[in-house]
Amino acid sequence: MQTKTQMLDRWYTDVWQDGNLDAIDIYFAPETDAQGIVPDLSMGPTEFRDLVTVIREMVDRIEITVIHAVEQGNWLSALVQFRAHRKSSDVLVHGFSQVMVRFDGDKMVETYNSFDFLTFFEQLGQMPPDSLPLLLTGTHLTEAG
């Protein structure tokens, strides 16, 4: 039997790295509730398909590594490293994520995610460089044009 860490690692490989959207149903129960990716939006298997599709349109050669994981009962908490290349210019995009997952058997039924989208979108060129330090000084980022 696989550990929860091994199941999470396979999830990242099958769904995110390989882009196998059908594998979402292997890892997620139909009633899975994933929170934290988009504020105030709970995501189930259908919404996750959309998210994976959108992200994979922006980057390729995705590599996801579980850096550290702690399992306790039905729960898994993990620090995860994300590496990919921006499709438009082949620039490396990287960052970290933290996730807490509750399993029911071999299915994820509840997840809480935290991903550094600010740095991600900076690296994609969709936000100004050093956006966080700018925002901390009180600067307002406005849409050009």
Side-chain angles (χ1 to χ4, degrees), residues 106-140:
D106 62 353
K107 299 272 190 186
M108 294 184 233
V109 293
E110 185 178 3
T111 73
Y112 299 92
N113 303 272
S114 177
F115 182 75
D116 184 4
F117 278 109
L118 183 61
T119 301
F120 177 75
F121 286 115
E122 279 181 7
Q123 293 174 37
L124 288 178
Q126 293 179 257
M127 298 281 296
D130 300 317
S131 290
L132 182 58
L134 287 170
L135 293 168
L136 288 171
T137 66
T139 300
H140 293 267

Side-chain angles (χ1 to χ4, degrees), residues 74-95:
N74 292 335
W75 286 92
L76 167 68
S77 177
L79 173 64
V80 178
Q81 181 178 30
F82 174 91
R83 295 173 57 89
H85 289 83
R86 186 168 55 180
K87 283 189 173 181
S88 63
S89 67
D90 202 39
V91 169
L92 177 66
V93 176
H94 58 91

Side-chain angles (χ1 to χ4, degrees), residues 25-127:
D25 294 328
I26 295 170
Y27 299 98
F28 271 16
E31 69 279 1
T32 295
D33 181 26
Q35 297 198 24
I37 296 168
V38 178
D40 301 322
L41 178 66
S42 177
M43 299 179 81
T46 300
E47 293 82 11
F48 236 95
R49 279 179 181 78
D50 295 339
L51 176 68
V52 172
T53 300
V54 167
I55 297 295
R56 289 182 57 83
E57 289 292 319
M58 297 179 210
V59 296
D60 59 12
R61 291 184 280 156
I62 297 171
E63 298 173 19
I64 301 177
T65 307
V66 176
I67 301 295
H68 186 72
V70 177
E71 296 185 26
Q72 182 177 4
N74 292 335
W75 286 92
L76 167 68
S77 177
L79 173 64
V80 178
Q81 181 178 30
F82 174 91
R83 295 173 57 89
H85 289 83
R86 186 168 55 180
K87 283 189 173 181
S88 63
S89 67
D90 202 39
V91 169
L92 177 66
V93 176
H94 58 91
F96 291 92
S97 174
Q98 292 184 324
V99 63
M100 290 191 68
V101 182
R102 183 172 63 85
F103 286 85
D104 184 3
D106 62 353
K107 299 272 190 186
M108 294 184 233
V109 293
E110 185 178 3
T111 73
Y112 299 92
N113 303 272
S114 177
F115 182 75
D116 184 4
F117 278 109
L118 183 61
T119 301
F120 177 75
F121 286 115
E122 279 181 7
Q123 293 174 37
L124 288 178
Q126 293 179 257
M127 298 281 296

